[in-house]
Amino acid sequence: MFRKSSLGLAALTLGLMASVMSAKADFWSDAGANLKGATIRGISESTPPSAYVRDVLAPAFSKATGITVEFEATSWDQMYDKAIKDMEANTGVYDFVYIEQDIIYSYLARNFLVDITKTLNEKANLKSPTFDPSQFTNFVDNFKNADGDIFGVPMEAFVKIYLYRKDLFDDPANKEAFKAKYNYDLAPATNHQQYRDIAEFFTEYGKEKGMELWGTTVQANTGHPSSFYEFVESVAPTFGIYNWGINLDGYGASVENGGKMNSPESKTALKWWIDNLAYAPPEATSSTWDEVAASFAAGRAAQGLVYGENAAWIATDPEKSAIVGKVGVALPPVEDGVMEAAEKGEGYIGYYDGGAFGIPTSSTNQDAAILFLQYIAQEDVQADWAVAGARITHTATYDDPKVKEQDAKVSGYYTLMKDQGKLFRGAPPFPFHNQVREVAAPFIYQAIMGEITPEDALDQAAAATDAELKTLGYRK
Protein backbone atom coordinates (compact mmCIF):
# COMPACT_ATOMS: atom_id res chain seq x y z
CA MET A 1 0.00 0.00 0.00
CA PHE A 2 2.60 2.88 0.19
CA ARG A 3 2.95 3.13 -2.71
CA LYS A 4 5.95 4.94 -4.03
CA SER A 5 8.12 4.24 -7.02
CA SER A 6 10.89 1.80 -6.21
CA LEU A 7 14.52 1.11 -6.93
CA GLY A 8 16.06 1.96 -10.33
CA LEU A 9 13.29 0.28 -12.25
CA ALA A 10 14.13 1.73 -15.61
CA ALA A 11 17.63 0.28 -15.42
CA LEU A 12 16.18 -3.22 -15.18
CA THR A 13 14.00 -2.95 -18.26
CA LEU A 14 16.47 -3.87 -21.01
CA GLY A 15 17.91 -6.82 -19.12
CA LEU A 16 14.48 -8.22 -18.35
CA MET A 17 13.33 -7.82 -21.93
CA ALA A 18 16.35 -9.70 -23.20
CA SER A 19 16.19 -12.58 -20.75
CA VAL A 20 12.45 -13.17 -20.89
CA MET A 21 11.98 -12.59 -24.61
CA SER A 22 14.84 -14.83 -25.69
CA ALA A 23 13.39 -17.74 -23.74
CA LYS A 24 9.74 -17.24 -24.61
CA ALA A 25 9.74 -15.21 -27.81
CA ASP A 26 8.03 -17.81 -29.97
CA PHE A 27 4.92 -18.20 -27.85
CA TRP A 28 4.43 -14.50 -27.13
CA SER A 29 4.94 -13.38 -30.71
CA ASP A 30 2.75 -16.18 -32.08
CA ALA A 31 -0.02 -15.69 -29.53
CA GLY A 32 0.05 -11.95 -30.07
CA ALA A 33 0.17 -12.10 -33.87
CA ASN A 34 -3.56 -11.57 -34.37
CA LEU A 35 -3.64 -8.99 -31.57
CA LYS A 36 -0.69 -6.90 -32.69
CA GLY A 37 -1.56 -3.22 -32.58
CA ALA A 38 -4.20 -3.66 -29.89
CA THR A 39 -4.11 -1.48 -26.78
CA ILE A 40 -5.08 -2.68 -23.33
CA ARG A 41 -5.67 -0.34 -20.43
CA GLY A 42 -5.12 -1.21 -16.79
CA ILE A 43 -5.37 0.53 -13.45
CA SER A 44 -3.71 -0.09 -10.10
CA GLU A 45 -2.76 1.61 -6.90
CA SER A 46 0.53 3.47 -7.04
CA THR A 47 2.73 0.95 -5.23
CA PRO A 48 6.32 -0.21 -5.63
CA PRO A 49 5.13 -3.43 -7.34
CA SER A 50 2.84 -1.43 -9.64
CA ALA A 51 5.67 0.91 -10.56
CA TYR A 52 7.63 -2.14 -11.69
CA VAL A 53 4.72 -3.27 -13.85
CA ARG A 54 4.48 0.16 -15.44
CA ASP A 55 8.19 0.75 -15.97
CA VAL A 56 9.48 -2.74 -16.73
CA LEU A 57 6.92 -5.47 -17.37
CA ALA A 58 4.48 -3.54 -19.54
CA PRO A 59 7.17 -2.31 -21.97
CA ALA A 60 8.69 -5.80 -22.14
CA PHE A 61 5.31 -7.35 -22.92
CA SER A 62 4.64 -4.76 -25.61
CA LYS A 63 7.95 -5.51 -27.27
CA ALA A 64 7.30 -9.25 -27.15
CA THR A 65 3.74 -9.15 -28.50
CA GLY A 66 3.13 -5.85 -30.28
CA ILE A 67 0.28 -5.16 -27.85
CA THR A 68 0.40 -1.71 -26.23
CA VAL A 69 -0.19 -1.47 -22.48
CA GLU A 70 -1.50 1.78 -21.04
CA PHE A 71 -1.14 1.41 -17.29
CA GLU A 72 -2.49 3.92 -14.80
CA ALA A 73 -0.98 3.84 -11.31
CA THR A 74 -2.92 6.19 -9.06
CA SER A 75 -4.08 6.64 -5.47
CA TRP A 76 -6.01 3.88 -3.72
CA ASP A 77 -9.16 6.00 -3.67
CA GLN A 78 -9.01 6.84 -7.37
CA MET A 79 -8.07 3.31 -8.35
CA TYR A 80 -11.01 1.77 -6.55
CA ASP A 81 -13.48 4.44 -7.64
CA LYS A 82 -12.54 4.31 -11.32
CA ALA A 83 -12.41 0.53 -11.52
CA ILE A 84 -15.72 -0.17 -9.82
CA LYS A 85 -17.57 2.56 -11.71
CA ASP A 86 -16.29 1.11 -14.98
CA MET A 87 -17.42 -2.40 -14.05
CA GLU A 88 -20.79 -1.26 -12.69
CA ALA A 89 -21.53 0.75 -15.84
CA ASN A 90 -20.15 -2.00 -18.11
CA THR A 91 -18.28 0.67 -20.08
CA GLY A 92 -15.14 -1.33 -20.84
CA VAL A 93 -12.67 1.43 -20.04
CA TYR A 94 -10.26 -0.97 -18.37
CA ASP A 95 -9.07 -4.35 -19.63
CA PHE A 96 -7.41 -5.32 -16.36
CA VAL A 97 -7.87 -3.93 -12.88
CA TYR A 98 -6.17 -4.29 -9.53
CA ILE A 99 -8.20 -6.44 -7.15
CA GLU A 100 -7.33 -6.21 -3.49
CA GLN A 101 -7.54 -9.41 -1.52
CA ASP A 102 -10.27 -7.94 0.64
CA ILE A 103 -12.60 -6.89 -2.21
CA ILE A 104 -12.51 -10.02 -4.39
CA TYR A 105 -15.52 -11.55 -2.62
CA SER A 106 -17.70 -8.57 -3.51
CA TYR A 107 -16.55 -8.67 -7.14
CA LEU A 108 -17.27 -12.39 -7.45
CA ALA A 109 -20.72 -11.92 -5.94
CA ARG A 110 -21.47 -9.33 -8.62
CA ASN A 111 -19.99 -11.33 -11.54
CA PHE A 112 -17.59 -8.53 -12.43
CA LEU A 113 -14.62 -10.71 -13.40
CA VAL A 114 -13.61 -13.08 -16.18
CA ASP A 115 -12.98 -16.68 -15.13
CA ILE A 116 -9.33 -17.01 -16.15
CA THR A 117 -9.18 -20.78 -15.69
CA LYS A 118 -12.25 -21.35 -17.85
CA THR A 119 -11.08 -18.93 -20.55
CA LEU A 120 -7.69 -20.61 -20.90
CA ASN A 121 -9.33 -24.02 -21.06
CA GLU A 122 -11.54 -22.80 -23.89
CA LYS A 123 -8.80 -20.89 -25.78
CA ALA A 124 -5.78 -23.16 -25.81
CA ASN A 125 -4.00 -20.91 -28.31
CA LEU A 126 -3.79 -18.24 -25.60
CA LYS A 127 -2.47 -20.56 -22.90
CA SER A 128 1.20 -19.92 -22.21
CA PRO A 129 3.29 -23.05 -21.61
CA THR A 130 4.84 -21.22 -18.64
CA PHE A 131 1.55 -20.38 -16.91
CA ASP A 132 1.38 -22.79 -13.99
CA PRO A 133 -0.89 -21.81 -11.07
CA SER A 134 0.84 -24.38 -8.88
CA GLN A 135 3.90 -22.11 -8.85
CA PHE A 136 2.02 -19.45 -6.91
CA THR A 137 2.10 -19.27 -3.14
CA ASN A 138 -1.18 -20.11 -1.43
CA PHE A 139 -2.05 -16.42 -1.66
CA VAL A 140 -3.61 -17.26 -5.03
CA ASP A 141 -6.36 -19.10 -3.16
CA ASN A 142 -7.85 -15.71 -2.29
CA PHE A 143 -8.69 -15.22 -5.97
CA LYS A 144 -10.48 -18.50 -6.62
CA ASN A 145 -14.16 -19.34 -6.57
CA ALA A 146 -15.70 -22.35 -4.86
CA ASP A 147 -14.77 -24.52 -7.84
CA GLY A 148 -11.11 -23.53 -7.66
CA ASP A 149 -11.14 -21.41 -10.82
CA ILE A 150 -8.79 -18.40 -10.81
CA PHE A 151 -10.25 -14.91 -11.29
CA GLY A 152 -7.08 -12.92 -10.60
CA VAL A 153 -3.35 -13.34 -11.18
CA PRO A 154 -1.48 -12.28 -8.01
CA MET A 155 0.91 -9.39 -8.58
CA GLU A 156 1.81 -8.50 -4.99
CA ALA A 157 1.63 -10.19 -1.61
CA PHE A 158 3.20 -9.09 1.65
CA VAL A 159 2.56 -8.95 5.38
CA LYS A 160 2.15 -5.88 7.54
CA ILE A 161 5.13 -6.05 9.84
CA TYR A 162 6.74 -4.42 12.82
CA LEU A 163 9.63 -2.23 11.68
CA TYR A 164 12.02 -0.71 14.18
CA ARG A 165 15.17 1.41 14.17
CA LYS A 166 18.10 -0.93 14.80
CA ASP A 167 20.47 1.99 15.38
CA LEU A 168 18.30 3.28 18.22
CA PHE A 169 17.52 -0.11 19.74
CA ASP A 170 21.15 -1.29 19.59
CA ASP A 171 22.72 1.88 21.00
CA PRO A 172 24.41 0.97 24.33
CA ALA A 173 23.40 4.25 26.00
CA ASN A 174 19.77 3.73 25.01
CA LYS A 175 19.87 0.16 26.26
CA GLU A 176 21.25 1.26 29.60
CA ALA A 177 18.75 4.11 30.03
CA PHE A 178 15.81 1.94 29.01
CA LYS A 179 16.67 -0.87 31.41
CA ALA A 180 17.18 1.60 34.24
CA LYS A 181 13.68 2.98 33.69
CA TYR A 182 11.67 -0.13 32.82
CA ASN A 183 13.70 -2.93 34.44
CA TYR A 184 14.01 -5.09 31.32
CA ASP A 185 16.17 -5.09 28.20
CA LEU A 186 15.40 -2.89 25.21
CA ALA A 187 14.42 -5.13 22.29
CA PRO A 188 11.62 -5.30 19.71
CA ALA A 189 8.35 -5.56 21.62
CA THR A 190 6.60 -8.91 21.90
CA ASN A 191 3.58 -7.57 23.82
CA HIS A 192 1.61 -4.37 23.92
CA GLN A 193 2.98 -3.07 27.22
CA GLN A 194 6.53 -3.37 25.91
CA TYR A 195 5.50 -1.56 22.74
CA ARG A 196 4.01 1.27 24.80
CA ASP A 197 7.11 1.51 26.99
CA ILE A 198 9.30 1.76 23.90
CA ALA A 199 7.02 4.38 22.37
CA GLU A 200 7.16 6.44 25.54
CA PHE A 201 10.92 6.06 25.89
CA PHE A 202 11.82 7.22 22.39
CA THR A 203 9.28 10.04 22.38
CA GLU A 204 10.97 11.41 25.50
CA TYR A 205 14.36 10.70 23.93
CA GLY A 206 13.42 12.79 20.91
CA LYS A 207 12.34 15.70 23.10
CA GLU A 208 15.52 15.54 25.18
CA LYS A 209 17.72 15.49 22.07
CA GLY A 210 15.73 18.15 20.26
CA MET A 211 15.03 15.66 17.47
CA GLU A 212 12.02 15.15 15.22
CA LEU A 213 11.62 11.64 16.62
CA TRP A 214 8.60 9.93 18.13
CA GLY A 215 8.03 6.49 19.59
CA THR A 216 5.63 4.97 17.06
CA THR A 217 3.70 5.42 13.87
CA VAL A 218 -0.11 5.33 13.91
CA GLN A 219 -2.15 5.02 10.71
CA ALA A 220 -4.97 7.18 12.06
CA ASN A 221 -6.32 9.34 9.26
CA THR A 222 -9.64 10.70 10.51
CA GLY A 223 -11.44 10.60 7.18
CA HIS A 224 -9.93 7.69 5.29
CA PRO A 225 -10.60 3.91 5.49
CA SER A 226 -6.91 3.27 6.21
CA SER A 227 -7.47 3.99 9.91
CA PHE A 228 -10.37 1.54 10.11
CA TYR A 229 -8.20 -1.05 8.37
CA GLU A 230 -5.26 -0.55 10.71
CA PHE A 231 -7.48 -1.21 13.68
CA VAL A 232 -9.54 -4.18 12.45
CA GLU A 233 -6.84 -5.87 10.34
CA SER A 234 -3.59 -5.10 12.17
CA VAL A 235 -4.29 -4.15 15.79
CA ALA A 236 -7.44 -6.02 16.83
CA PRO A 237 -6.06 -9.45 15.82
CA THR A 238 -3.09 -8.97 18.15
CA PHE A 239 -5.64 -8.78 20.98
CA GLY A 240 -7.43 -11.90 19.75
CA ILE A 241 -10.23 -10.17 17.79
CA TYR A 242 -10.56 -11.74 14.35
CA ASN A 243 -12.71 -11.08 11.28
CA TRP A 244 -13.40 -7.50 12.43
CA GLY A 245 -15.16 -8.97 15.47
CA ILE A 246 -17.99 -10.36 13.32
CA ASN A 247 -19.20 -13.90 14.03
CA LEU A 248 -18.90 -15.82 10.76
CA ASP A 249 -21.63 -18.26 11.76
CA GLY A 250 -24.45 -15.84 12.50
CA TYR A 251 -22.96 -12.60 11.17
CA GLY A 252 -23.39 -10.79 14.46
CA ALA A 253 -21.05 -7.94 15.41
CA SER A 254 -22.21 -6.98 18.89
CA VAL A 255 -21.57 -9.19 21.90
CA GLU A 256 -25.30 -9.65 22.41
CA ASN A 257 -25.54 -11.09 18.89
CA GLY A 258 -22.55 -13.41 19.21
CA GLY A 259 -19.88 -11.04 17.90
CA LYS A 260 -16.82 -9.44 19.48
CA MET A 261 -16.67 -6.03 17.81
CA ASN A 262 -17.57 -4.34 21.09
CA SER A 263 -16.14 -6.98 23.43
CA PRO A 264 -13.90 -5.96 26.36
CA GLU A 265 -10.86 -7.19 24.41
CA SER A 266 -11.79 -5.12 21.39
CA LYS A 267 -12.33 -2.02 23.52
CA THR A 268 -8.94 -2.54 25.16
CA ALA A 269 -7.36 -2.84 21.72
CA LEU A 270 -8.93 0.36 20.38
CA LYS A 271 -8.00 2.33 23.48
CA TRP A 272 -4.40 1.07 23.32
CA TRP A 273 -4.13 2.02 19.66
CA ILE A 274 -5.65 5.49 20.05
CA ASP A 275 -3.54 6.18 23.15
CA ASN A 276 -0.46 5.56 21.01
CA LEU A 277 -1.21 8.87 19.30
CA ALA A 278 0.43 10.57 22.29
CA TYR A 279 3.72 9.05 21.12
CA ALA A 280 3.27 9.44 17.37
CA PRO A 281 4.33 12.18 14.93
CA PRO A 282 1.79 15.00 14.57
CA GLU A 283 0.97 13.84 11.03
CA ALA A 284 -0.44 10.57 12.40
CA THR A 285 -4.06 11.73 12.32
CA SER A 286 -3.71 12.55 8.63
CA SER A 287 -1.69 9.45 7.78
CA THR A 288 -2.80 6.67 5.50
CA TRP A 289 -0.48 3.76 4.65
CA ASP A 290 1.44 6.16 2.38
CA GLU A 291 2.28 8.70 5.06
CA VAL A 292 3.10 6.05 7.68
CA ALA A 293 5.76 4.58 5.41
CA ALA A 294 7.05 8.07 4.59
CA SER A 295 7.21 9.06 8.26
CA PHE A 296 9.15 5.95 9.18
CA ALA A 297 11.49 6.30 6.20
CA ALA A 298 12.18 9.91 7.21
CA GLY A 299 13.38 8.70 10.61
CA ARG A 300 10.45 10.25 12.48
CA ALA A 301 9.48 7.13 14.44
CA ALA A 302 11.41 4.51 16.37
CA GLN A 303 8.96 1.72 15.54
CA GLY A 304 5.72 1.09 13.72
CA LEU A 305 3.42 -1.27 11.87
CA VAL A 306 4.23 -0.78 8.19
CA TYR A 307 3.00 -2.57 5.08
CA GLY A 308 5.77 -4.93 4.01
CA GLU A 309 5.86 -3.80 0.38
CA ASN A 310 7.70 -0.72 1.67
CA ALA A 311 10.37 -2.67 3.55
CA ALA A 312 12.80 -2.91 0.64
CA TRP A 313 12.94 0.75 -0.35
CA ILE A 314 12.93 1.97 3.26
CA ALA A 315 15.89 -0.25 4.09
CA THR A 316 17.90 0.15 0.88
CA ASP A 317 17.10 3.26 -1.16
CA PRO A 318 19.03 6.34 0.02
CA GLU A 319 17.18 8.57 -2.44
CA LYS A 320 13.91 7.97 -0.61
CA SER A 321 14.90 6.83 2.87
CA ALA A 322 16.94 8.51 5.60
CA ILE A 323 17.40 5.26 7.54
CA VAL A 324 19.06 2.93 5.04
CA GLY A 325 20.90 0.16 6.89
CA LYS A 326 19.08 0.98 10.15
CA VAL A 327 15.84 -0.98 9.71
CA GLY A 328 14.94 -4.04 11.75
CA VAL A 329 12.05 -6.40 11.09
CA ALA A 330 9.99 -8.31 13.66
CA LEU A 331 6.56 -9.82 14.26
CA PRO A 332 3.87 -7.54 15.75
CA PRO A 333 3.42 -7.51 19.53
CA VAL A 334 0.55 -9.67 20.78
CA GLU A 335 -1.45 -10.43 23.92
CA ASP A 336 -0.98 -13.69 25.80
CA GLY A 337 -2.34 -16.67 23.90
CA VAL A 338 -2.65 -14.95 20.53
CA MET A 339 0.62 -16.28 19.10
CA GLU A 340 -0.22 -19.79 20.23
CA ALA A 341 -3.65 -19.56 18.61
CA ALA A 342 -2.10 -18.36 15.34
CA GLU A 343 0.43 -21.19 15.35
CA LYS A 344 -2.45 -23.67 15.68
CA GLY A 345 -4.34 -21.99 12.84
CA GLU A 346 -7.04 -20.83 15.22
CA GLY A 347 -6.27 -17.13 14.84
CA TYR A 348 -3.76 -14.76 13.30
CA ILE A 349 -1.45 -11.93 14.36
CA GLY A 350 -1.80 -9.45 11.53
CA TYR A 351 -2.65 -8.70 7.96
CA TYR A 352 -1.51 -10.63 4.88
CA ASP A 353 -2.11 -8.05 2.20
CA GLY A 354 -1.81 -7.98 -1.53
CA GLY A 355 -3.70 -8.05 -4.75
CA ALA A 356 -4.08 -9.46 -8.21
CA PHE A 357 -4.91 -8.29 -11.68
CA GLY A 358 -8.28 -9.42 -12.93
CA ILE A 359 -10.10 -8.90 -16.22
CA PRO A 360 -13.50 -7.17 -16.06
CA THR A 361 -16.24 -8.93 -18.00
CA SER A 362 -16.82 -5.52 -19.59
CA SER A 363 -13.37 -5.53 -21.21
CA THR A 364 -13.39 -5.46 -25.01
CA ASN A 365 -9.81 -6.75 -25.21
CA GLN A 366 -10.00 -9.85 -23.05
CA ASP A 367 -7.67 -12.00 -25.16
CA ALA A 368 -4.89 -9.43 -25.08
CA ALA A 369 -5.42 -8.89 -21.36
CA ILE A 370 -5.21 -12.58 -20.54
CA LEU A 371 -1.89 -12.76 -22.38
CA PHE A 372 -0.57 -9.90 -20.29
CA LEU A 373 -1.64 -11.50 -17.02
CA GLN A 374 0.15 -14.69 -17.96
CA TYR A 375 3.22 -12.73 -18.99
CA ILE A 376 3.59 -11.16 -15.54
CA ALA A 377 3.02 -14.59 -13.95
CA GLN A 378 6.22 -16.04 -15.44
CA GLU A 379 8.70 -17.34 -12.92
CA ASP A 380 11.48 -15.60 -14.88
CA VAL A 381 10.27 -12.12 -13.98
CA GLN A 382 9.59 -12.68 -10.29
CA ALA A 383 13.00 -12.17 -8.65
CA ASP A 384 13.70 -8.65 -9.94
CA TRP A 385 10.11 -7.73 -9.18
CA ALA A 386 10.46 -9.03 -5.62
CA VAL A 387 13.67 -7.10 -5.08
CA ALA A 388 12.07 -3.89 -6.37
CA GLY A 389 8.74 -4.20 -4.58
CA ALA A 390 9.21 -6.49 -1.55
CA ARG A 391 6.45 -8.74 -2.84
CA ILE A 392 6.44 -12.48 -3.48
CA THR A 393 3.73 -14.47 -5.24
CA HIS A 394 5.76 -17.52 -6.40
CA THR A 395 7.22 -20.08 -4.02
CA ALA A 396 10.48 -20.37 -5.96
CA THR A 397 11.18 -16.64 -5.64
CA TYR A 398 12.31 -17.03 -2.04
CA ASP A 399 15.32 -19.11 -3.12
CA ASP A 400 16.49 -16.85 -5.93
CA PRO A 401 20.02 -15.49 -5.26
CA LYS A 402 18.89 -11.90 -5.92
CA VAL A 403 16.13 -12.19 -3.35
CA LYS A 404 18.44 -13.79 -0.81
CA GLU A 405 20.89 -10.93 -1.27
CA GLN A 406 18.11 -8.39 -0.78
CA ASP A 407 16.82 -10.34 2.22
CA ALA A 408 20.09 -9.69 4.04
CA LYS A 409 19.74 -5.95 3.40
CA VAL A 410 16.17 -5.90 4.74
CA SER A 411 16.92 -7.73 8.01
CA GLY A 412 15.37 -10.98 6.87
CA TYR A 413 12.00 -9.60 5.76
CA TYR A 414 11.60 -12.16 2.97
CA THR A 415 12.60 -14.98 5.31
CA LEU A 416 10.05 -13.78 7.85
CA MET A 417 7.34 -13.77 5.20
CA LYS A 418 8.32 -17.26 4.04
CA ASP A 419 8.57 -18.82 7.49
CA GLN A 420 6.01 -16.81 9.46
CA GLY A 421 3.54 -15.77 6.76
CA LYS A 422 1.22 -18.52 7.98
CA LEU A 423 0.64 -16.45 11.14
CA PHE A 424 -0.95 -13.66 9.11
CA ARG A 425 -4.25 -13.64 7.26
CA GLY A 426 -6.06 -11.57 4.69
CA ALA A 427 -9.40 -9.89 5.17
CA PRO A 428 -12.38 -12.10 5.99
CA PRO A 429 -14.47 -13.41 3.07
CA PHE A 430 -17.19 -10.79 3.35
CA PRO A 431 -19.24 -9.97 0.25
CA PHE A 432 -20.50 -7.06 2.38
CA HIS A 433 -16.99 -5.75 3.07
CA ASN A 434 -17.56 -2.21 1.77
CA GLN A 435 -21.01 -1.78 3.28
CA VAL A 436 -19.84 -2.70 6.79
CA ARG A 437 -16.72 -0.57 6.52
CA GLU A 438 -18.77 2.44 5.54
CA VAL A 439 -21.15 2.17 8.51
CA ALA A 440 -18.53 1.24 11.12
CA ALA A 441 -15.55 3.41 10.17
CA PRO A 442 -17.08 6.81 11.11
CA PHE A 443 -17.21 5.77 14.76
CA ILE A 444 -13.49 4.92 14.66
CA TYR A 445 -12.81 8.37 13.18
CA GLN A 446 -14.79 9.99 16.00
CA ALA A 447 -12.82 8.09 18.62
CA ILE A 448 -9.54 9.17 17.05
CA MET A 449 -10.65 12.79 17.19
CA GLY A 450 -11.71 12.40 20.82
CA GLU A 451 -15.37 13.13 20.12
CA ILE A 452 -16.45 9.84 21.69
CA THR A 453 -14.65 7.27 23.83
CA PRO A 454 -13.19 4.12 22.25
CA GLU A 455 -15.74 2.12 24.23
CA ASP A 456 -18.69 4.12 22.90
CA ALA A 457 -17.24 4.01 19.40
CA LEU A 458 -17.25 0.23 19.32
CA ASP A 459 -20.69 -0.07 20.90
CA GLN A 460 -22.07 2.19 18.19
CA ALA A 461 -20.04 0.55 15.42
CA ALA A 462 -21.28 -2.90 16.45
CA ALA A 463 -24.90 -1.74 16.57
CA ALA A 464 -24.61 -0.07 13.16
CA THR A 465 -22.98 -3.18 11.72
CA ASP A 466 -25.72 -5.45 13.05
CA ALA A 467 -28.34 -3.15 11.57
CA GLU A 468 -26.60 -3.04 8.19
CA LEU A 469 -26.22 -6.82 8.05
CA LYS A 470 -29.91 -7.16 8.82
CA THR A 471 -30.77 -4.71 6.03
CA LEU A 472 -28.57 -6.67 3.63
CA GLY A 473 -30.28 -9.90 4.57
CA TYR A 474 -27.45 -11.58 6.42
CA ARG A 475 -29.24 -11.46 9.77
CA LYS A 476 -32.83 -12.18 10.67
Side-chain angles (χ1 to χ4, degrees):
M1 304 189 176
F2 183 30
R3 308 200 180 267
K4 277 215 178 236
S5 61
S6 55
L7 319 167
L9 298 179
L12 296 171
T13 306
L14 293 178
L16 177 72
M17 287 181 182
S19 63
V20 174
M21 288 173 54
S22 62
K24 311 294 184 319
D26 289 343
F27 169 77
W28 299 112
S29 59
D30 290 348
N34 294 330
L35 301 167
K36 191 172 184 179
T39 297
I40 56 174
R41 297 191 66 204
I43 188 167
S44 181
E45 188 175 0
S46 181
T47 69
S50 290
Y52 191 85
V53 173
R54 179 194 63 210
D55 298 340
V56 179
L57 296 178
F61 173 77
S62 295
K63 185 155 183 149
T65 62
I67 299 169
T68 299
V69 180
E70 294 182 357
F71 186 59
E72 182 180 353
T74 185
S75 69
W76 179 86
D77 310 70
Q78 285 291 310
M79 177 270 298
Y80 174 74
D81 186 61
K82 288 183 175 182
I84 199 161
K85 283 181 178 176
D86 176 42
M87 291 186 287
E88 286 178 335
N90 201 39
T91 45
V93 173
Y94 296 108
D95 301 298
F96 64 96
V97 297
Y98 179 82
I99 315 165
E100 280 197 279
Q101 176 274 330
D102 52 17
I103 203 66
I104 180 68
Y105 311 105
S106 297
Y107 286 1
L108 290 179
R110 301 179 72 179
N111 298 313
F112 278 167
L113 301 173
V114 169
D115 185 329
I116 294 171
T117 300
K118 181 180 178 182
T119 301
L120 291 177
N121 286 338
E122 294 175 348
K123 298 182 178 182
N125 61 308
L126 296 178
K127 172 76 165 61
S128 166
T130 65
F131 186 69
D132 180 4
S134 69
Q135 293 179 333
F136 289 112
T137 66
N138 61 6
F139 186 70
V140 72
D141 293 342
N142 290 295
F143 303 96
K144 295 178 179 178
N145 67 1
D147 297 325
D149 286 5
I150 295 173
F151 286 75
V153 172
M155 57 80 66
E156 64 179 6
F158 46 87
V159 294
K160 191 170 181 183
I161 46 170
Y162 174 17
L163 296 185
Y164 65 96
R165 288 277 300 278
K166 290 194 300 183
D167 57 322
L168 296 175
F169 277 63
D170 293 343
D171 183 270
N174 290 343
K175 283 181 171 292
E176 182 179 355
F178 185 88
K179 188 164 187 177
K181 183 171 183 178
Y182 298 102
N183 297 313
Y184 64 92
D185 292 331
L186 175 61
T190 59
N191 62 53
H192 297 102
Q193 184 57 57
Q194 291 173 358
Y195 192 95
R196 174 62 55 75
D197 291 344
I198 293 167
E200 178 185 67
F201 177 80
F202 281 112
T203 300
E204 292 177 356
Y205 174 90
K207 291 178 180 178
E208 291 171 0
K209 301 291 185 181
M211 299 169 58
E212 292 285 305
L213 176 70
W214 287 264
T216 181
T217 62
V218 182
Q219 186 175 295
N221 189 297
T222 54
H224 190 276
S226 55
S227 54
F228 174 78
Y229 286 136
E230 170 139 302
F231 175 64
V232 299
E233 294 176 342
S234 300
V235 174
T238 67
F239 284 82
I241 304 300
Y242 312 121
N243 302 315
W244 302 8
I246 298 174
N247 183 340
L248 297 183
D249 292 329
Y251 291 122
S254 63
V255 171
E256 64 181 285
N257 287 322
K260 292 187 175 181
M261 186 178 287
N262 64 335
S263 66
E265 297 86 355
S266 189
K267 291 177 178 179
T268 298
L270 184 57
K271 187 175 188 307
W272 176 84
W273 180 63
I274 290 176
D275 286 350
N276 280 340
L277 287 169
Y279 312 103
E283 66 267 22
T285 52
S286 59
S287 290
T288 69
W289 34 73
D290 292 10
E291 290 78 24
V292 161
S295 293
F296 191 81
R300 292 174 63 78
Q303 60 182 354
L305 298 178
V306 181
Y307 287 94
E309 64 183 340
N310 300 293
W313 71 265
I314 291 175
T316 64
D317 188 353
E319 293 186 5
K320 300 180 180 69
S321 173
I323 54 174
V324 170
K326 302 175 181 179
V327 179
V329 175
L331 296 175
V334 295
E335 288 294 281
D336 289 345
V338 171
M339 186 65 70
E340 291 77 8
E343 289 171 343
K344 293 177 183 177
E346 299 171 356
Y348 52 98
I349 66 170
Y351 189 41
Y352 204 132
D353 194 13
F357 286 146
I359 302 171
T361 54
S362 55
S363 165
T364 57
N365 295 293
Q366 293 181 16
D367 288 355
I370 209 164
L371 282 180
F372 180 64
L373 265 57
Q374 291 179 92
Y375 188 88
I376 68 169
Q378 296 177 93
E379 185 175 330
D380 294 12
V381 310
Q382 300 302 317
D384 286 333
W385 200 0
V387 168
R391 38 69 70 207
I392 287 184
T393 60
H394 283 52
T395 54
T397 309
Y398 287 111
D399 296 323
D400 188 279
K402 294 177 182 177
V403 174
K404 287 185 173 181
E405 181 181 357
Q406 181 80 330
D407 190 42
K409 297 177 182 177
V410 193
S411 297
Y413 164 73
Y414 297 89
T415 297
L416 181 148
M417 187 160 65
K418 178 182 179 181
D419 295 342
Q420 308 295 336
K422 61 186 178 182
L423 302 175
F424 297 76
R425 194 173 300 170
F430 294 155
F432 48 76
H433 177 109
N434 285 347
Q435 294 95 323
V436 167
R437 184 196 67 212
E438 289 303 305
V439 299
F443 301 106
I444 304 300
Y445 305 154
Q446 286 183 273
I448 292 170
M449 292 185 286
E451 296 176 355
I452 56 177
T453 67
E455 293 80 5
D456 286 344
L458 290 177
D459 283 338
Q460 294 178 57
T465 298
D466 281 342
E468 180 68 12
L469 291 175
K470 185 174 182 179
T471 299
L472 295 172
Y474 289 95
R475 290 188 55 76
K476 294 181 180 180

